[in-house]
Amino acid sequence: MSRVAKAAVGLMAVTLIAKFLGFGRELALATAYGASGTSDAFLVAMNIPAVIFTAIGTSLGTAFIPLYCDVDSKLGEREANKFTNNVFNIVVLICLAFSVIGVLFTPQIVKLFAIGFKGETLAQAIYFTRIMLLGMAFLGMSYIMMAYLQVKENFMIPGLMPVPYNMFIIIAILVSVKVSPYLLPWGALIGLLFQFLFQLPFAMKKGFRYRPYINLKDEYLKKMLWLIGPVLIGVAVNQINTIVDRTIASTLVEGSISALNYANKLNQFVMGMFIVSISSVIYPMLSKLSSENNKDKFNRSISTSINAVTLIVIPISVGAIILANPIVKLLFQRGEFDARATQMTAIALMFYSVGMIGFGLRDILGKVFYSLKDTKTPMINGVIAMGLNITLNITFVKFTNMQLAGLAFATSISALVTIALLFISLRRKIGPFGGKSIALVMIKSMISAALMAVVALFAYNTIASILGSGAIQEIITLAASVGMGALVYGISIILLKVSEVNLILDTIKSKIKK
Protein backbone atom coordinates (compact mmCIF):
# COMPACT_ATOMS: atom_id res chain seq x y z
CA MET A 1 0.00 0.00 0.00
CA SER A 2 2.94 2.34 0.66
CA ARG A 3 4.12 2.06 -2.96
CA VAL A 4 0.62 2.88 -4.16
CA ALA A 5 0.43 5.81 -1.74
CA LYS A 6 3.78 7.17 -2.95
CA ALA A 7 2.66 6.89 -6.58
CA ALA A 8 -0.61 8.66 -5.76
CA VAL A 9 1.17 11.49 -3.90
CA GLY A 10 3.66 11.88 -6.77
CA LEU A 11 0.84 12.03 -9.30
CA MET A 12 -0.98 14.61 -7.16
CA ALA A 13 2.16 16.77 -7.18
CA VAL A 14 2.55 16.82 -10.97
CA THR A 15 -1.21 17.15 -11.40
CA LEU A 16 -1.08 20.25 -9.22
CA ILE A 17 1.42 21.79 -11.63
CA ALA A 18 -0.73 20.91 -14.64
CA LYS A 19 -3.92 22.14 -12.96
CA PHE A 20 -2.38 25.46 -11.98
CA LEU A 21 -1.36 25.99 -15.58
CA GLY A 22 -4.88 25.01 -16.61
CA PHE A 23 -6.19 27.69 -14.28
CA GLY A 24 -3.72 30.07 -15.88
CA ARG A 25 -5.36 29.29 -19.21
CA GLU A 26 -8.84 29.98 -17.80
CA LEU A 27 -7.67 33.18 -16.13
CA ALA A 28 -6.07 34.37 -19.37
CA LEU A 29 -9.27 33.65 -21.31
CA ALA A 30 -11.44 35.29 -18.65
CA THR A 31 -9.22 38.38 -18.52
CA ALA A 32 -9.02 38.71 -22.30
CA TYR A 33 -12.62 37.93 -23.26
CA GLY A 34 -14.66 37.68 -20.02
CA ALA A 35 -18.02 35.92 -20.33
CA SER A 36 -18.63 36.93 -23.94
CA GLY A 37 -19.70 35.50 -27.28
CA THR A 38 -16.05 34.94 -28.29
CA SER A 39 -15.22 33.01 -25.11
CA ASP A 40 -18.42 30.98 -25.52
CA ALA A 41 -17.48 30.15 -29.13
CA PHE A 42 -13.92 29.14 -28.23
CA LEU A 43 -15.03 26.95 -25.31
CA VAL A 44 -17.56 25.16 -27.50
CA ALA A 45 -14.89 24.64 -30.17
CA MET A 46 -12.48 23.13 -27.62
CA ASN A 47 -15.25 20.98 -26.20
CA ILE A 48 -16.34 19.37 -29.49
CA PRO A 49 -13.21 17.27 -30.24
CA ALA A 50 -12.90 16.55 -26.52
CA VAL A 51 -16.46 15.22 -26.42
CA ILE A 52 -15.92 13.15 -29.56
CA PHE A 53 -12.68 11.59 -28.40
CA THR A 54 -12.44 11.78 -24.61
CA ALA A 55 -14.93 8.95 -24.24
CA ILE A 56 -13.03 6.86 -26.79
CA GLY A 57 -9.65 7.73 -25.28
CA THR A 58 -10.70 6.90 -21.74
CA SER A 59 -12.24 3.63 -22.89
CA LEU A 60 -9.08 2.74 -24.82
CA GLY A 61 -6.95 3.32 -21.74
CA THR A 62 -9.26 1.26 -19.54
CA ALA A 63 -9.20 -1.72 -21.92
CA PHE A 64 -5.59 -1.34 -23.14
CA ILE A 65 -3.85 -1.73 -19.76
CA PRO A 66 -5.07 -5.25 -18.80
CA LEU A 67 -4.75 -6.55 -22.37
CA TYR A 68 -1.21 -5.20 -22.78
CA CYS A 69 -0.26 -6.97 -19.55
CA ASP A 70 -1.85 -10.16 -20.87
CA VAL A 71 0.06 -10.02 -24.18
CA ASP A 72 3.31 -9.12 -22.43
CA SER A 73 3.07 -11.99 -19.92
CA LYS A 74 2.07 -14.63 -22.48
CA LEU A 75 3.87 -13.60 -25.66
CA GLY A 76 6.62 -11.23 -24.54
CA GLU A 77 7.49 -7.56 -24.95
CA ARG A 78 7.97 -7.75 -28.72
CA GLU A 79 4.39 -8.92 -29.31
CA ALA A 80 3.15 -6.39 -26.76
CA ASN A 81 4.84 -3.65 -28.79
CA LYS A 82 3.14 -4.97 -31.94
CA PHE A 83 -0.20 -4.87 -30.13
CA THR A 84 0.50 -1.25 -29.08
CA ASN A 85 1.34 -0.24 -32.64
CA ASN A 86 -1.74 -1.99 -33.96
CA VAL A 87 -3.98 -0.05 -31.60
CA PHE A 88 -2.03 3.18 -32.20
CA ASN A 89 -2.30 3.04 -36.00
CA ILE A 90 -5.97 2.06 -36.05
CA VAL A 91 -6.82 4.90 -33.66
CA VAL A 92 -4.94 7.40 -35.86
CA LEU A 93 -6.88 6.26 -38.95
CA ILE A 94 -10.19 6.52 -37.12
CA CYS A 95 -9.30 10.00 -35.88
CA LEU A 96 -8.33 11.16 -39.36
CA ALA A 97 -11.68 9.92 -40.66
CA PHE A 98 -13.46 11.85 -37.87
CA SER A 99 -11.45 14.97 -38.78
CA VAL A 100 -12.46 14.81 -42.44
CA ILE A 101 -16.12 14.29 -41.60
CA GLY A 102 -15.97 17.01 -38.97
CA VAL A 103 -14.41 19.59 -41.28
CA LEU A 104 -17.03 18.87 -43.95
CA PHE A 105 -19.96 19.18 -41.58
CA THR A 106 -18.67 21.76 -39.08
CA PRO A 107 -21.70 24.13 -39.27
CA GLN A 108 -24.10 21.29 -38.54
CA ILE A 109 -21.94 20.02 -35.67
CA VAL A 110 -21.67 23.46 -34.07
CA LYS A 111 -25.43 24.01 -34.30
CA LEU A 112 -25.92 20.66 -32.60
CA PHE A 113 -23.63 21.65 -29.72
CA ALA A 114 -24.80 25.27 -29.44
CA ILE A 115 -28.28 25.70 -30.89
CA GLY A 116 -28.58 29.24 -29.52
CA PHE A 117 -25.52 30.67 -31.33
CA LYS A 118 -26.19 33.33 -33.96
CA GLY A 119 -24.33 35.97 -35.96
CA GLU A 120 -20.68 36.59 -35.14
CA THR A 121 -20.67 34.08 -32.26
CA LEU A 122 -21.84 31.31 -34.60
CA ALA A 123 -19.31 32.29 -37.29
CA GLN A 124 -16.46 32.25 -34.77
CA ALA A 125 -17.58 28.91 -33.33
CA ILE A 126 -17.63 27.32 -36.80
CA TYR A 127 -14.14 28.59 -37.65
CA PHE A 128 -12.69 27.68 -34.26
CA THR A 129 -14.21 24.20 -34.39
CA ARG A 130 -13.00 23.49 -37.93
CA ILE A 131 -9.40 24.22 -36.91
CA MET A 132 -9.67 22.22 -33.68
CA LEU A 133 -11.04 19.16 -35.49
CA LEU A 134 -7.79 18.95 -37.47
CA GLY A 135 -6.08 17.87 -34.24
CA MET A 136 -8.16 14.74 -33.62
CA ALA A 137 -5.27 12.44 -34.61
CA PHE A 138 -2.92 14.23 -32.17
CA LEU A 139 -5.50 13.71 -29.43
CA GLY A 140 -5.77 10.00 -30.23
CA MET A 141 -2.01 9.46 -30.24
CA SER A 142 -1.73 11.24 -26.87
CA TYR A 143 -4.23 8.89 -25.25
CA ILE A 144 -2.40 5.78 -26.47
CA MET A 145 0.93 7.09 -25.20
CA MET A 146 -0.68 7.95 -21.88
CA ALA A 147 -2.05 4.40 -21.47
CA TYR A 148 1.30 2.90 -22.50
CA LEU A 149 3.20 4.95 -19.92
CA GLN A 150 0.70 4.08 -17.20
CA VAL A 151 1.01 0.36 -17.91
CA LYS A 152 4.78 0.84 -17.54
CA GLU A 153 4.07 2.44 -14.13
CA ASN A 154 5.07 5.93 -15.24
CA PHE A 155 2.28 8.14 -13.90
CA MET A 156 4.22 11.41 -13.78
CA ILE A 157 4.47 12.15 -17.51
CA PRO A 158 0.77 11.48 -18.27
CA GLY A 159 0.00 13.77 -15.33
CA LEU A 160 2.06 16.53 -16.95
CA MET A 161 0.55 15.93 -20.41
CA PRO A 162 -1.74 19.01 -20.27
CA VAL A 163 1.21 21.36 -19.64
CA PRO A 164 2.28 21.96 -23.27
CA TYR A 165 -1.35 22.14 -24.39
CA ASN A 166 -2.21 24.85 -21.87
CA MET A 167 1.01 26.76 -22.54
CA PHE A 168 0.28 27.13 -26.25
CA ILE A 169 -3.34 28.15 -25.58
CA ILE A 170 -2.21 30.84 -23.12
CA ILE A 171 0.26 32.17 -25.71
CA ALA A 172 -2.49 32.18 -28.36
CA ILE A 173 -4.88 34.05 -26.04
CA LEU A 174 -2.31 36.75 -25.28
CA VAL A 175 -1.40 37.18 -28.95
CA SER A 176 -5.03 37.08 -30.14
CA VAL A 177 -5.97 40.08 -28.01
CA LYS A 178 -3.52 42.22 -29.98
CA VAL A 179 -3.97 40.58 -33.39
CA SER A 180 -7.25 38.69 -33.83
CA PRO A 181 -9.45 36.24 -31.85
CA TYR A 182 -9.24 33.96 -34.89
CA LEU A 183 -5.74 32.95 -33.71
CA LEU A 184 -7.21 31.18 -30.66
CA PRO A 185 -7.79 27.72 -32.19
CA TRP A 186 -4.32 27.59 -33.77
CA GLY A 187 -2.72 27.73 -30.35
CA ALA A 188 -4.96 24.88 -29.20
CA LEU A 189 -4.12 22.84 -32.32
CA ILE A 190 -0.36 23.21 -31.77
CA GLY A 191 -0.92 22.34 -28.11
CA LEU A 192 -2.61 19.06 -29.09
CA LEU A 193 0.41 18.11 -31.21
CA PHE A 194 2.86 18.85 -28.40
CA GLN A 195 0.82 16.78 -25.93
CA PHE A 196 1.82 13.75 -27.99
CA LEU A 197 5.40 14.87 -28.71
CA PHE A 198 5.94 15.53 -25.00
CA GLN A 199 5.13 11.92 -24.07
CA LEU A 200 6.80 10.15 -27.00
CA PRO A 201 10.47 10.25 -25.78
CA PHE A 202 9.46 8.83 -22.39
CA ALA A 203 7.43 6.06 -24.04
CA MET A 204 10.41 5.19 -26.25
CA LYS A 205 12.62 5.08 -23.17
CA LYS A 206 10.22 2.53 -21.71
CA GLY A 207 10.50 0.36 -24.82
CA PHE A 208 7.95 1.68 -27.30
CA ARG A 209 9.09 1.44 -30.93
CA TYR A 210 6.81 2.67 -33.69
CA ARG A 211 5.99 0.27 -36.55
CA PRO A 212 3.52 0.80 -39.45
CA TYR A 213 1.63 -2.33 -38.41
CA ILE A 214 -2.13 -3.00 -38.67
CA ASN A 215 -3.88 -6.32 -38.05
CA LEU A 216 -7.66 -6.11 -37.86
CA LYS A 217 -7.89 -9.85 -37.15
CA ASP A 218 -5.73 -9.76 -34.02
CA GLU A 219 -7.52 -11.65 -31.22
CA TYR A 220 -6.41 -9.17 -28.57
CA LEU A 221 -7.75 -6.30 -30.64
CA LYS A 222 -11.11 -8.08 -30.77
CA LYS A 223 -11.04 -8.58 -27.01
CA MET A 224 -10.25 -4.90 -26.59
CA LEU A 225 -13.19 -3.88 -28.77
CA TRP A 226 -15.45 -6.14 -26.72
CA LEU A 227 -14.33 -4.50 -23.47
CA ILE A 228 -14.46 -0.97 -24.88
CA GLY A 229 -18.15 -1.03 -25.82
CA PRO A 230 -19.77 -0.70 -22.37
CA VAL A 231 -16.95 1.55 -21.08
CA LEU A 232 -17.36 3.82 -24.09
CA ILE A 233 -21.08 4.17 -23.51
CA GLY A 234 -20.55 4.77 -19.80
CA VAL A 235 -17.94 7.48 -20.38
CA ALA A 236 -19.91 8.98 -23.27
CA VAL A 237 -22.78 9.57 -20.87
CA ASN A 238 -20.71 12.21 -19.06
CA GLN A 239 -19.83 13.85 -22.36
CA ILE A 240 -23.48 13.85 -23.42
CA ASN A 241 -24.38 15.53 -20.14
CA THR A 242 -21.80 18.23 -20.94
CA ILE A 243 -23.26 18.67 -24.44
CA VAL A 244 -26.79 19.00 -23.06
CA ASP A 245 -25.70 21.50 -20.40
CA ARG A 246 -23.87 23.69 -22.91
CA THR A 247 -26.59 23.36 -25.54
CA ILE A 248 -29.26 24.57 -23.13
CA ALA A 249 -26.87 27.22 -21.75
CA SER A 250 -26.48 28.58 -25.29
CA THR A 251 -30.19 29.51 -25.19
CA LEU A 252 -29.78 31.52 -21.96
CA VAL A 253 -28.18 34.96 -21.52
CA GLU A 254 -24.83 35.61 -23.19
CA GLY A 255 -21.89 34.29 -21.21
CA SER A 256 -23.80 31.37 -19.68
CA ILE A 257 -21.54 28.77 -21.33
CA SER A 258 -18.45 30.58 -20.09
CA ALA A 259 -19.82 30.87 -16.55
CA LEU A 260 -20.63 27.14 -16.50
CA ASN A 261 -17.17 26.38 -17.85
CA TYR A 262 -15.29 28.48 -15.30
CA ALA A 263 -17.30 26.98 -12.42
CA ASN A 264 -16.82 23.48 -13.77
CA LYS A 265 -13.06 24.05 -14.08
CA LEU A 266 -12.88 24.83 -10.37
CA ASN A 267 -14.66 21.55 -9.67
CA GLN A 268 -12.40 19.68 -12.08
CA PHE A 269 -9.36 21.07 -10.31
CA VAL A 270 -10.36 19.12 -7.21
CA MET A 271 -11.27 16.04 -9.25
CA GLY A 272 -8.02 16.06 -11.20
CA MET A 273 -5.85 16.94 -8.24
CA PHE A 274 -7.10 14.32 -5.80
CA ILE A 275 -9.67 11.91 -7.22
CA VAL A 276 -8.10 11.07 -10.58
CA SER A 277 -4.71 10.72 -8.90
CA ILE A 278 -6.12 8.18 -6.44
CA SER A 279 -8.17 6.24 -9.02
CA SER A 280 -5.36 6.13 -11.60
CA VAL A 281 -2.98 4.50 -9.14
CA ILE A 282 -5.48 2.24 -7.36
CA TYR A 283 -6.99 0.78 -10.57
CA PRO A 284 -4.01 -1.52 -11.37
CA MET A 285 -3.85 -2.59 -7.71
CA LEU A 286 -7.55 -3.46 -7.57
CA SER A 287 -7.26 -5.37 -10.86
CA LYS A 288 -4.42 -7.44 -9.43
CA LEU A 289 -6.26 -8.15 -6.15
CA SER A 290 -9.36 -9.13 -8.10
CA SER A 291 -7.42 -11.57 -10.31
CA GLU A 292 -5.79 -13.04 -7.18
CA ASN A 293 -9.23 -13.36 -5.56
CA ASN A 294 -7.92 -11.56 -2.47
CA LYS A 295 -11.37 -10.50 -1.28
CA ASP A 296 -10.45 -9.15 2.17
CA LYS A 297 -7.70 -6.82 0.95
CA PHE A 298 -9.82 -5.87 -2.08
CA ASN A 299 -12.72 -4.79 0.17
CA ARG A 300 -10.40 -2.92 2.55
CA SER A 301 -8.87 -1.06 -0.39
CA ILE A 302 -12.34 -0.01 -1.58
CA SER A 303 -13.32 1.25 1.86
CA THR A 304 -10.03 3.11 2.38
CA SER A 305 -10.20 4.77 -1.05
CA ILE A 306 -13.81 5.91 -0.58
CA ASN A 307 -13.09 7.27 2.91
CA ALA A 308 -10.01 9.13 1.66
CA VAL A 309 -12.07 10.78 -1.08
CA THR A 310 -14.83 11.65 1.40
CA LEU A 311 -12.43 13.30 3.83
CA ILE A 312 -10.89 15.39 1.05
CA VAL A 313 -13.95 16.35 -1.00
CA ILE A 314 -16.65 17.16 1.57
CA PRO A 315 -14.79 20.09 3.22
CA ILE A 316 -13.79 21.45 -0.19
CA SER A 317 -17.38 21.28 -1.47
CA VAL A 318 -18.75 22.99 1.66
CA GLY A 319 -16.04 25.65 1.42
CA ALA A 320 -16.85 26.26 -2.24
CA ILE A 321 -20.55 26.69 -1.42
CA ILE A 322 -20.11 29.26 1.37
CA LEU A 323 -17.23 31.18 -0.24
CA ALA A 324 -18.15 30.84 -3.93
CA ASN A 325 -18.39 34.56 -4.62
CA PRO A 326 -15.06 35.66 -3.08
CA ILE A 327 -13.28 32.64 -4.63
CA VAL A 328 -14.51 33.46 -8.13
CA LYS A 329 -13.92 37.18 -7.65
CA LEU A 330 -10.32 36.63 -6.53
CA LEU A 331 -9.51 34.15 -9.29
CA PHE A 332 -11.29 35.64 -12.29
CA GLN A 333 -12.59 39.20 -11.82
CA ARG A 334 -10.24 41.31 -13.86
CA GLY A 335 -10.11 42.70 -17.40
CA GLU A 336 -13.29 41.79 -19.28
CA PHE A 337 -14.48 39.48 -16.48
CA ASP A 338 -16.79 41.85 -14.61
CA ALA A 339 -19.04 41.63 -11.53
CA ARG A 340 -21.87 40.17 -13.62
CA ALA A 341 -19.62 37.33 -14.82
CA THR A 342 -18.46 36.76 -11.23
CA GLN A 343 -22.03 36.45 -9.98
CA MET A 344 -23.00 34.03 -12.77
CA THR A 345 -19.93 31.84 -12.21
CA ALA A 346 -20.32 31.86 -8.42
CA ILE A 347 -23.93 30.68 -8.66
CA ALA A 348 -22.91 27.84 -10.98
CA LEU A 349 -20.03 26.92 -8.65
CA MET A 350 -22.32 26.73 -5.62
CA PHE A 351 -24.70 24.30 -7.29
CA TYR A 352 -21.92 22.23 -8.89
CA SER A 353 -20.32 21.90 -5.44
CA VAL A 354 -23.47 20.27 -4.05
CA GLY A 355 -22.64 17.18 -6.12
CA MET A 356 -18.84 17.27 -5.77
CA ILE A 357 -18.79 14.15 -3.57
CA GLY A 358 -20.85 12.41 -6.24
CA PHE A 359 -18.36 13.33 -8.98
CA GLY A 360 -15.48 12.05 -6.84
CA LEU A 361 -16.95 8.74 -5.71
CA ARG A 362 -18.36 8.00 -9.17
CA ASP A 363 -14.83 7.79 -10.57
CA ILE A 364 -13.60 5.55 -7.74
CA LEU A 365 -16.59 3.20 -7.86
CA GLY A 366 -16.36 2.99 -11.64
CA LYS A 367 -12.76 1.79 -11.35
CA VAL A 368 -13.86 -0.82 -8.78
CA PHE A 369 -16.33 -2.31 -11.24
CA TYR A 370 -13.79 -2.22 -14.10
CA SER A 371 -11.27 -4.05 -11.92
CA LEU A 372 -13.94 -6.77 -11.50
CA LYS A 373 -14.22 -6.88 -15.31
CA ASP A 374 -17.77 -5.56 -15.01
CA THR A 375 -18.17 -2.73 -17.50
CA LYS A 376 -21.94 -3.04 -17.88
CA THR A 377 -23.04 -1.89 -14.41
CA PRO A 378 -21.40 1.58 -14.58
CA MET A 379 -22.79 1.93 -18.10
CA ILE A 380 -26.38 1.13 -17.06
CA ASN A 381 -26.26 3.37 -14.00
CA GLY A 382 -24.68 6.14 -16.05
CA VAL A 383 -27.42 5.99 -18.67
CA ILE A 384 -30.07 6.24 -15.93
CA ALA A 385 -28.28 9.25 -14.45
CA MET A 386 -27.99 10.86 -17.90
CA GLY A 387 -31.74 10.57 -18.43
CA LEU A 388 -32.30 12.14 -15.02
CA ASN A 389 -29.85 14.97 -15.77
CA ILE A 390 -31.55 15.85 -19.07
CA THR A 391 -35.01 15.72 -17.47
CA LEU A 392 -33.94 17.94 -14.58
CA ASN A 393 -32.13 20.35 -16.94
CA ILE A 394 -35.31 20.94 -18.92
CA THR A 395 -37.45 21.09 -15.76
CA PHE A 396 -35.27 23.59 -13.90
CA VAL A 397 -34.74 25.88 -16.90
CA LYS A 398 -38.26 25.77 -18.36
CA PHE A 399 -40.45 25.57 -15.27
CA THR A 400 -38.42 27.41 -12.61
CA ASN A 401 -36.40 30.61 -12.41
CA MET A 402 -33.15 28.74 -11.65
CA GLN A 403 -31.81 29.09 -15.21
CA LEU A 404 -27.98 28.72 -15.03
CA ALA A 405 -28.12 27.44 -11.45
CA GLY A 406 -30.62 24.80 -12.55
CA LEU A 407 -28.16 23.33 -15.07
CA ALA A 408 -25.46 22.96 -12.43
CA PHE A 409 -27.91 21.65 -9.84
CA ALA A 410 -29.26 19.02 -12.25
CA THR A 411 -25.72 17.79 -12.90
CA SER A 412 -25.10 17.51 -9.15
CA ILE A 413 -28.32 15.61 -8.46
CA SER A 414 -27.63 13.13 -11.26
CA ALA A 415 -24.10 12.51 -9.90
CA LEU A 416 -25.44 11.83 -6.41
CA VAL A 417 -28.06 9.44 -7.80
CA THR A 418 -25.32 7.67 -9.78
CA ILE A 419 -23.20 6.90 -6.73
CA ALA A 420 -26.26 5.71 -4.80
CA LEU A 421 -27.00 3.26 -7.61
CA LEU A 422 -23.35 2.18 -7.81
CA PHE A 423 -23.17 1.54 -4.06
CA ILE A 424 -26.30 -0.62 -4.24
CA SER A 425 -24.99 -2.52 -7.28
CA LEU A 426 -21.57 -3.10 -5.68
CA ARG A 427 -23.15 -4.38 -2.44
CA ARG A 428 -25.19 -6.87 -4.45
CA LYS A 429 -22.15 -7.95 -6.45
CA ILE A 430 -19.50 -8.51 -3.78
CA GLY A 431 -21.42 -8.42 -0.51
CA PRO A 432 -20.41 -6.21 2.47
CA PHE A 433 -17.35 -4.05 1.77
CA GLY A 434 -17.24 -1.77 4.80
CA GLY A 435 -20.46 0.15 4.32
CA LYS A 436 -20.80 0.99 8.02
CA SER A 437 -17.27 2.39 8.11
CA ILE A 438 -17.94 4.45 4.97
CA ALA A 439 -21.20 5.85 6.38
CA LEU A 440 -19.56 6.67 9.71
CA VAL A 441 -16.66 8.52 8.08
CA MET A 442 -19.10 10.44 5.88
CA ILE A 443 -21.18 11.52 8.90
CA LYS A 444 -18.08 12.58 10.85
CA SER A 445 -16.76 14.46 7.82
CA MET A 446 -20.08 16.30 7.37
CA ILE A 447 -20.20 17.27 11.07
CA SER A 448 -16.60 18.54 10.87
CA ALA A 449 -17.36 20.41 7.62
CA ALA A 450 -20.39 22.08 9.23
CA LEU A 451 -18.23 23.36 12.09
CA MET A 452 -15.63 24.44 9.55
CA ALA A 453 -18.27 26.38 7.58
CA VAL A 454 -19.43 28.33 10.65
CA VAL A 455 -15.86 29.31 11.61
CA ALA A 456 -14.74 30.10 8.03
CA LEU A 457 -17.78 32.27 7.26
CA PHE A 458 -17.53 34.13 10.57
CA ALA A 459 -13.79 34.64 10.02
CA TYR A 460 -14.31 35.89 6.47
CA ASN A 461 -16.98 38.44 7.41
CA THR A 462 -15.02 39.65 10.44
CA ILE A 463 -11.67 40.02 8.67
CA ALA A 464 -13.32 41.60 5.60
CA SER A 465 -15.00 44.25 7.76
CA ILE A 466 -11.65 45.06 9.39
CA LEU A 467 -9.40 45.08 6.31
CA GLY A 468 -11.87 46.47 3.76
CA SER A 469 -11.67 46.00 -0.01
CA GLY A 470 -8.71 45.68 -2.35
CA ALA A 471 -6.84 42.83 -4.04
CA ILE A 472 -4.29 42.29 -1.25
CA GLN A 473 -6.95 42.58 1.45
CA GLU A 474 -9.17 40.04 -0.35
CA ILE A 475 -6.29 37.56 -0.67
CA ILE A 476 -5.49 37.89 3.05
CA THR A 477 -9.15 37.64 4.05
CA LEU A 478 -9.86 34.56 1.94
CA ALA A 479 -6.59 32.82 2.87
CA ALA A 480 -7.09 33.45 6.59
CA SER A 481 -10.70 32.27 6.62
CA VAL A 482 -9.86 29.15 4.59
CA GLY A 483 -6.90 28.43 6.87
CA MET A 484 -9.01 28.77 10.01
CA GLY A 485 -11.73 26.59 8.54
CA ALA A 486 -9.22 23.91 7.51
CA LEU A 487 -7.69 23.95 11.00
CA VAL A 488 -11.12 23.45 12.60
CA TYR A 489 -11.94 20.64 10.18
CA GLY A 490 -8.63 18.90 10.84
CA ILE A 491 -8.96 19.13 14.63
CA SER A 492 -12.57 17.97 14.44
CA ILE A 493 -11.90 14.79 12.44
CA ILE A 494 -8.96 13.97 14.76
CA LEU A 495 -11.18 14.37 17.83
CA LEU A 496 -13.86 12.24 16.14
CA LYS A 497 -11.18 9.53 15.69
CA VAL A 498 -11.37 9.00 11.94
CA SER A 499 -8.87 6.17 11.35
CA GLU A 500 -7.73 7.37 7.92
CA VAL A 501 -6.37 10.52 9.55
CA ASN A 502 -3.78 8.43 11.39
CA LEU A 503 -2.60 7.03 8.06
CA ILE A 504 -2.16 10.55 6.70
CA LEU A 505 -0.36 11.74 9.83
CA ASP A 506 1.95 8.70 9.82
CA THR A 507 2.82 9.37 6.17
CA ILE A 508 3.65 13.02 6.96
CA LYS A 509 5.78 12.00 9.95
CA SER A 510 7.76 9.48 7.89
CA LYS A 511 8.40 12.13 5.22
CA ILE A 512 9.65 14.59 7.85
CA LYS A 513 11.98 11.97 9.35
CA LYS A 514 13.43 11.20 5.92
Side-chain angles (χ1 to χ4, degrees), residues 208-245:
F208 175 73
R209 296 292 180 270
Y210 176 74
R211 299 288 182 272
Y213 171 77
I214 292 179
N215 181 8
L216 298 176
K217 296 181 179 181
D218 179 56
E219 61 173 305
Y220 287 99
L221 180 66
K222 293 177 182 179
K223 288 180 181 180
M224 188 170 176
L225 292 174
W226 181 257
L227 286 174
I228 281 174
V231 181
L232 177 60
I233 295 171
V235 176
V237 162
N238 297 328
Q239 300 300 320
I240 293 171
N241 281 336
T242 302
I243 296 172
V244 172
D245 287 354

Side-chain angles (χ1 to χ4, degrees), residues 146-223:
M146 179 173 67
Y148 181 84
L149 286 167
Q150 286 176 342
V151 81
K152 294 293 185 179
E153 298 185 350
N154 183 335
F155 299 101
M156 302 296 183
I157 300 306
L160 289 170
M161 185 181 74
V163 169
Y165 177 66
N166 289 325
M167 285 178 61
F168 280 102
I169 291 180
I170 290 171
I171 293 170
I173 291 170
L174 298 177
V175 175
S176 72
V177 173
K178 297 185 178 296
V179 181
S180 168
Y182 285 88
L183 288 177
L184 287 171
W186 290 101
L189 180 64
I190 297 170
L192 288 175
L193 169 61
F194 275 85
Q195 273 191 157
F196 164 67
L197 295 178
F198 173 71
Q199 295 182 97
L200 183 59
F202 297 96
M204 294 178 70
K205 189 176 180 180
K206 288 289 184 179
F208 175 73
R209 296 292 180 270
Y210 176 74
R211 299 288 182 272
Y213 171 77
I214 292 179
N215 181 8
L216 298 176
K217 296 181 179 181
D218 179 56
E219 61 173 305
Y220 287 99
L221 180 66
K222 293 177 182 179
K223 288 180 181 180

Side-chain angles (χ1 to χ4, degrees), residues 54-108:
T54 296
I56 299 174
T58 304
S59 306
L60 282 170
T62 302
F64 177 85
I65 290 173
L67 286 175
Y68 180 94
C69 293
D70 196 20
V71 176
D72 190 33
S73 62
K74 292 179 180 178
L75 303 176
E77 187 174 359
R78 183 176 178 182
E79 289 299 315
N81 195 61
K82 282 179 66 177
F83 171 69
T84 304
N85 276 290
N86 195 23
V87 174
F88 183 92
N89 291 324
I90 290 172
V91 167
V92 169
L93 291 176
I94 292 172
C95 288
L96 289 173
F98 272 127
S99 291
V100 172
I101 295 170
V103 168
L104 291 174
F105 297 98
T106 306
Q108 291 81 0

Side-chain angles (χ1 to χ4, degrees), residues 330 334 468-477:
L330 180 63
R334 58 186 59 83
S469 60
I472 301 298
Q473 291 93 323
E474 287 172 2
I475 292 173
I476 295 171
T477 302

